[in-house]
Structures are given as structure tokens and as C-alpha cells.
Amino acid sequence: MNQSAKLLLCLAVSMPAMAAFKSPQEANAALRFRQDCQWQVAQGTDCRIEQVVTILRDSGRDAFGTATLVFRERETLTLLRAYTRQPDGTELAVPDGDIQRGTMPGQNGFESSSYLTVAFPAVRTGSTVVLAYRRQTPRIAPFEALSQLQGLSAGSLRIDEFDWKIRADQPLHWAGRDLAGRIEVTPSADGKSLAARSLQPMFFDVTETGSRFALRSLPVIDVSTEADPMRYLAPIATGFAQRLAEPLPAQAASAVAAVQGKPWPQQLAGLMADVNTRIRYMGDWRISENGYLPFTLAQIEQRGFGDCKDMALTLAAMLRASGLQAQVALVRADVDNTPLLLSPQNGLNHAIVRLQVGSQTYWLDPTQKLNVLHGPVRELQDRSVFVLTDGGQVVADRIALMAAASSYNRQQLDFSPQDGRLWQLKAEGELAGSMARQILAVESGQGKERQDNVLAEALLSNGMTKTRHQVQRSAVPALLAEPYRYTVDATVGQVTKPLGAFRLLDLRQTSGRIATWRQWQAKAGVTDYLMEASNEQSVTRVHGVTPLAQPASCEVRSPWADYMLKAVPVKNGVGLAQQWVRKALWLSADTMRSAEFSRFVDQLEECDGQAQILLQK
């Protein structure tokens, strides 16, 4: 199996037959997957794995004619068998010369991985490729438990058999999601062994396309020798507490001294900028202690680089030295906010800082070049977080979905005709919260010119083209504590377009989403839709035109989003005030299939349609 079709932990599965799933006859290969593991908490896990793939189509031969197994530092992988079985039963072993071994350096960080690639001989439709190997993974200090997450993902592979057995020297705990009718999990009477097996062949491949669609209701099994996530993380909390108790090294202490006496937001801004300047981000994903615990404050300062753990530790220590209340917190940073099942080690991938000032809580990510005091990035919103305390304890908290009132993009636009083709645009904008973080993050990576272009492009609607722009604004700071304001002066084409005997001014805000949702509904979709909570407000005035009629005011409200449109008086022109408030990070498939959501889309399309204004030529 090539690297784009890994079968180590991610397996394709089916859901009940629906129009949004491709026919199982479109599968290009069929898999029988068997894994038998022995767990010894003091040592680690020892698994024997067999992958048997039958090629059903020519595309399956291309996808699965080779197999690449990746194993990380301190893991051991032993190849047991590799051969091709032809339809007549003939077995052709993979020659040693077609087995390649090597190492892969990590990108932007520490992660020494090795690989083993097998090229199967004489693979054709009807052939079966068999790969058996042994994977030994040590227990990762300082954790005192073992765990494994077996997640299932989409693909053009049919799963004919899934069989996973674990035997351990301590009782096993497990949790699952979306297993009913697909996978049966049976623990032993003494709790020290567990078997998970498929109940039927499973095939899954969806028809809907687009980066915002994701199937999040796939079977997943989480197994651990520790049932309590707080106890699981306690050794990590102890390690952080020990490092936070150490004195600040010289450069960090100097940065703290430089901000003393200033209001706390200015202190925070100065310390955030210092951490981001002095410490270069470099990921550390090793399956060893430093993959989960930071280096000491002195080591981090001496090295001048570190990962999220190192940067969060440094910022928290400096904030504490300034008299502020700060703790390191562990979280899953991903747009998918699906709750964790059992073991936090299998779901947490990021360290941030919780700052508490009075009754307010702020979430800070020092790995980011830009932080917004009142709005963490969307990958941190609407999810549980584990806060590490001084006593080596762990406390659960939650990062809320940012409210529309504190996360917005407000614009005021005036279009005036320059000639028969081009228009002058004068605009003012204000950004706050996570929307500010999303829009203003360009400058740190791509520079001022690219950021100016992003701000100007964001003002254009439905086919408008920009030929020139000038943006007036301040530099984007390391910490945005107040709304960010800017002005744009631009030359724009295609503001209005010919439509028969008239011209059309199209200021619709939601037409693209409506078309996407209707296509999903037509296919009886099963994926969730990434909505992103935010609040966009605009007042647009177009001068020098004569509308056939003023748009009618309207509003649509729902549990998921609100839209409001109101005509704005403009002498010798037409104007609209619009607000598009999105209240959810995700729309579930169940929501989008509901009659209530269909009515909402109908009403939204009718109201947003008022932003299509016919003008006299």
C-alpha cells in the first residue's frame, strides 16, 4: 500500500446504504485486516499485523501494488511475510531486492522516522497481496499507562474483515463511537483482554466533494489501561509543574523587567512578542519523554527554539513572574471538535496558555505570530481542554465558541463611477476576535503587500475585479487587544453587469453556501459541513445608479445562522445594510437533512436574493 493509502490505523468503512455513498461495486480493492497485540504496561505494546488486499480493479493495482510501512523512533518493525497470491493459488514471494528500507528526517521539527517499502510482484486484477509484520512500541515516559486509538476513515477500499485482539497484564478500558451494526467489541471476564471484529463487509466512499465536508461519524475505538484522563495526564502535569517552579533564565527575566509597571494587556503584548521573537518554533513529535514534556526554561532559552510545549511553558512562566495567573493547557488543535473518547494521549496535540484576569479567561497560543486577546483561532474553539496545575493535578475546562458580538468583520463601502467601466471604491473596515486572527494572519508569513491585497480583495462581491488598491492601516501586532481598523482606496471593475435591457448589481453574501447545501441535499449527503462561527456586517452604497426598485428589508433567523438585509437611503444611488451571523462551527449531517434546515435555506435564499438589484442602463 503506497503512502497515500495507509492501512496501519486508518481503515475505510461503510455506513448504511444511501445515495451519498458510492456503490460498493466501485471499490478498487478489498482488505482483510488482522491485528493481535500483547500489552505489558512496563514495557509497551507488541503487535502482529496481517494485511491481505485483493485487487478488484486496475486502479487497485496502482494503489496497493506497493506497501509502505512507517515506524517512528524507538519503534521496531519486523517484516514477517510479503507475497502475491495469484487467482490460481500460486504464491510469489517478494524478492529481497524489492524491499527497501530507509529513514526520513522530520520536517520543521524532531521526528526521526524509518520506512519499509515492499513492491509486490506480478500484481494484476484478481491478485491478492499479503503483508505480515510485527510492530513493537515502547511505553512512553512519563506516562504510566498504555493506550491506542483505532480510527476508521474513508476510501475506495472495501473492508471484508477487521479483527483486532489485545491481551494485557492490566485491566483494559475501552470506549467507542459509531460502532453499532459494524464492529462488535467483546472484553474478557477478567478485563485483561479485548476483541473487536467486524460484523459485516464495510465499504465507504462519499459522493459529496469540497474541503468543508467531512464524515465525522465513522467508527472509532479507544483502548487504554487507564480509564481516568486526569490520572492519565497526571505525570505530564507533574513534569510541567517542576519546570515552572524553576527560576527564569536571564533573557526571559529581562523581558519581564522591561514590561513591569505597564497595564496587564501591554505586559502580555510585550511578553508574547518576546517569546515569539526569541524562540523559533520547531515541532517535537518523538515518542519519547520530550515528545510530551518540555525542556527546562534554561535549556529552551539556550537553544533558541522549541515546540508548543516549550513556548507555552516559557510564556506561562514569564506571565507568572509578572504577577499574572497563567497555566499551561493541553488541547486538540483541529477544526474537528469531536469530543475525545477515553485516552487524552490519543487526541491532544497542542499546548497553549490559559490566562485568568479577574473573572475573565483568555486562551493564548505562543506558536502563532498573531494572537487575538478576545478570540482564539477557530482550531481552538468549542472543545474541552486540560489545564495543568501547580500541584501536578489536571483540571478540565472548555474553550467556548466565540460569540458573534466579539468576533466580527465590519465594513462600510462606497462605490462611485469613474467612467463607463471602472469604479472608485472607498472603504473602511474593522476586525475583531477570531475573524481578525483569520484575516490578519497573512502578514507574518507573506508580508505587508500580500496582507494589503487580502484586505482589499475581501471587499469585492460576486465577480468584481480590482485593478488598483491602496490600504491605510497599522502593522499587525503580536497581540491584538483592540479592534483593528483599516481603510482601502481601490479601482474596481465589474461592479454592475449587463442583464438584458438592464444592469445587475449583485451584493448577495450567501449564494455560494446555499448552492453548496442544495447540492449536498440533492445527493442525500452524510458528511458534516464546516460552518465557522463569525459575524460579517456591511453597509454598501453605490452612487450614480438608478434602481428599478429599492430592495425589501428582510431577516431570517435560525439556531445555526441569522441573516438581515435592509435598504439604506442613498441620494442618486442605492444602498444595502447586511449582516450574516454564523453561530456554529459545524453543521451536522442530521441537521442538514432536517426539514427545519431546508426551510431555513429556502428563506435565506429568498432574503439574500433581495441583494440582486436591477438598475437602469
Side-chain angles (χ1 to χ4, degrees):
M1 301 104 231
N2 59 27
Q3 196 148 4
S4 64
K6 291 181 183 175
L7 301 180
L8 302 180
L9 294 178
C10 297
L11 311 174
V13 297
S14 73
M15 301 278 282
M18 297 177 67
F21 293 91
K22 295 178 182 178
S23 166
Q25 304 207 356
E26 293 190 36
N28 61 16
L31 169 71
R32 294 187 180 277
F33 180 87
R34 305 178 184 107
Q35 179 170 278
D36 196 328
C37 297
Q38 181 71 47
W39 288 14
Q40 291 185 303
V41 172
Q43 283 78 40
T45 64
D46 185 350
C47 296
R48 293 176 182 266
I49 303 164
E50 184 179 64
Q51 299 172 173
V52 181
V53 178
T54 300
I55 307 302
L56 304 178
R57 293 172 173 268
D58 194 58
S59 58
R61 182 183 67 167
D62 295 337
F64 303 110
T66 60
T68 297
L69 303 173
V70 177
F71 50 107
R72 301 168 67 186
E73 184 180 5
R74 299 181 66 224
E75 280 192 317
T76 301
L77 190 142
T78 305
L79 182 62
L80 302 176
R81 294 184 304 280
Y83 61 90
T84 302
R85 183 190 302 127
Q86 300 297 11
D88 64 2
T90 303
E91 294 184 359
L92 302 173
V94 176
D96 289 343
D98 293 333
I99 300 173
Q100 183 182 15
R101 294 174 173 84
T103 59
M104 300 182 298
Q107 293 184 353
N108 190 30
F110 289 111
E111 185 178 30
S112 177
S113 298
S114 299
Y115 68 87
L116 184 149
T117 298
V118 176
F120 293 97
V123 177
R124 56 182 59 92
T125 300
S127 299
T128 296
V129 297
V130 179
L131 180 66
Y133 56 96
R134 181 183 182 187
R135 181 186 294 270
Q136 296 167 283
T137 305
R139 178 175 63 84
I140 304 165
F143 292 113
E144 298 171 354
L146 296 176
S147 65
Q148 184 175 350
L149 182 74
Q150 191 84 326
L152 310 178
S153 61
S156 59
L157 183 71
R158 190 180 74 219
I159 306 300
D160 285 352
E161 180 185 356
F162 172 73
D163 190 330
W164 182 29
K165 296 183 178 69
I166 303 174
R167 295 180 302 280
D169 60 351
Q170 291 188 14
L172 295 169
H173 309 273
W174 72 277
R177 184 166 50 234
D178 297 306
L179 303 181
R182 304 182 186 98
I183 296 176
E184 178 182 68
V185 180
T186 306
S188 64
D190 64 0
K192 293 185 179 180
S193 64
L194 177 146
R197 66 178 186 89
S198 54
L199 298 175
Q200 60 180 335
M202 300 180 290
F203 176 73
F204 177 77
D205 206 358
V206 295
T207 58
E208 52 259 46
T209 59
S211 60
R212 288 184 175 270
F213 289 111
L215 183 71
R216 302 193 301 158
S217 57
L218 284 168
V220 61
I221 308 167
D222 197 356
V223 183
S224 176
T225 58
E226 173 55 71
D228 186 344
M230 307 304 179
R231 285 201 299 266
Y232 199 112
L233 288 173
I236 301 296
T238 298
F240 270 88
Q242 292 170 345
R243 289 157 175 78
L244 275 171
E246 298 170 354
L248 283 181
Q251 293 179 49
S254 177
V256 170
V259 299
Q260 286 300 306
K262 296 181 180 180
W264 75 263
Q266 293 181 28
Q267 291 189 47
L268 174 60
L271 298 181
M272 290 286 294
D274 176 76
V275 171
N276 212 273
T277 300
R278 284 193 300 110
I279 304 175
R280 172 174 56 88
Y281 175 78
M282 188 170 179
D284 194 340
W285 305 286
R286 291 175 286 187
I287 52 172
S288 61
E289 179 169 307
N290 285 117
Y292 295 88
L293 282 176
F295 287 89
T296 66
L297 291 167
Q299 288 172 323
I300 297 166
E301 182 163 299
Q302 186 274 327
R303 287 150 60 99
F305 62 82
D307 69 354
C308 60
K309 304 182 299 295
D310 301 311
M311 298 178 80
L313 175 78
T314 301
L315 178 62
M318 294 168 71
L319 290 171
R320 288 172 170 222
S322 298
L324 296 170
Q325 185 179 350
Q327 297 91 20
V328 176
L330 304 180
V331 66
R332 176 182 176 178
D334 190 337
V335 292
D336 187 354
N337 61 343
T338 305
L340 299 177
L341 277 174
L342 182 63
S343 170
Q345 184 187 347
N346 295 327
L348 304 178
N349 62 4
H350 199 40
I352 58 175
V353 173
R354 183 180 74 172
L355 172 65
Q356 294 175 293
V357 181
S359 61
Q360 295 295 312
T361 298
Y362 305 96
W363 301 99
L364 308 168
D365 184 354
T367 69
Q368 300 293 325
K369 298 295 185 182
L370 168 63
N371 272 254
V372 177
L373 187 60
H374 301 285
V377 64
R378 66 183 183 185
E379 286 82 3
L380 294 178
Q381 294 183 34
D382 192 21
R383 67 201 61 225
S384 297
V385 61
F386 296 89
V387 180
L388 311 180
T389 69
D390 291 349
Q393 302 299 310
V394 184
V395 176
D397 201 344
R398 186 162 186 83
I399 304 178
L401 188 69
M402 293 298 102
S406 61
S407 179
Y408 60 79
N409 179 9
R410 296 173 181 164
Q411 301 171 344
Q412 182 168 300
L413 303 87
D414 281 274
F415 291 94
S416 302
Q418 289 187 332
D419 53 34
R421 187 174 60 87
L422 297 176
W423 299 69
Q424 182 183 37
L425 168 62
K426 288 187 176 293
E428 299 176 357
E430 182 177 280
L431 296 164
S434 56
M435 284 209 74
R437 166 65 182 81
Q438 185 175 334
I439 294 173
L440 296 175
V442 174
E443 181 161 320
S444 62
Q446 301 182 47
K448 180 181 184 302
E449 183 176 337
R450 177 59 182 154
Q451 182 67 74
D452 285 351
N453 189 63
V454 167
L455 290 168
E457 291 280 352
L459 301 169
L460 307 183
S461 301
N462 302 316
M464 294 182 185
T465 58
K466 173 177 59 65
T467 60
R468 176 198 64 85
H469 68 267
Q470 183 177 6
V471 180
Q472 297 292 330
R473 62 184 180 86
S474 60
V476 177
L479 177 73
L480 189 64
E482 301 292 337
Y484 185 86
R485 297 176 178 85
Y486 62 95
T487 63
V488 177
D489 187 336
T491 301
V492 180
Q494 300 295 309
V495 173
T496 69
K497 301 172 184 64
L499 184 63
F502 308 99
R503 295 195 69 83
L504 177 67
L505 173 64
D506 187 355
L507 299 178
R508 289 176 298 169
Q509 289 189 339
T510 68
S511 57
R513 288 184 189 256
I514 291 170
T516 297
W517 292 338
R518 291 207 184 281
Q519 185 181 47
W520 184 96
Q521 291 171 327
K523 292 181 176 180
V526 293
T527 52
D528 296 344
Y529 179 80
L530 178 60
M531 177 87 146
E532 295 183 53
S534 62
N535 180 359
E536 297 179 66
Q537 304 172 44
S538 64
V539 175
T540 305
R541 294 185 291 241
V542 182
H543 304 270
V545 299
T546 304
L548 269 66
Q550 292 290 335
S553 299
C554 58
E555 66 177 46
V556 179
R557 297 189 180 275
S558 78
W560 318 288
D562 297 334
Y563 177 73
M564 285 77 75
L565 181 149
K566 184 178 181 180
V568 173
V570 177
K571 185 178 180 180
N572 190 31
V574 64
L576 281 182
Q578 297 163 279
Q579 186 174 20
W580 172 225
V581 181
R582 303 190 291 277
K583 308 175 188 177
L585 183 60
W586 286 90
L587 294 176
S588 72
D590 288 343
T591 290
M592 290 191 289
R593 280 194 293 266
S594 69
E596 185 180 4
F597 185 76
S598 292
R599 287 192 295 272
F600 162 68
V601 175
D602 290 342
Q603 294 167 1
L604 182 62
E605 185 173 35
E606 182 177 349
C607 186
D608 193 36
Q610 293 293 324
Q612 296 180 100
I613 304 169
L614 280 177
L615 308 172
Q616 294 181 6
K617 277 193 173 179

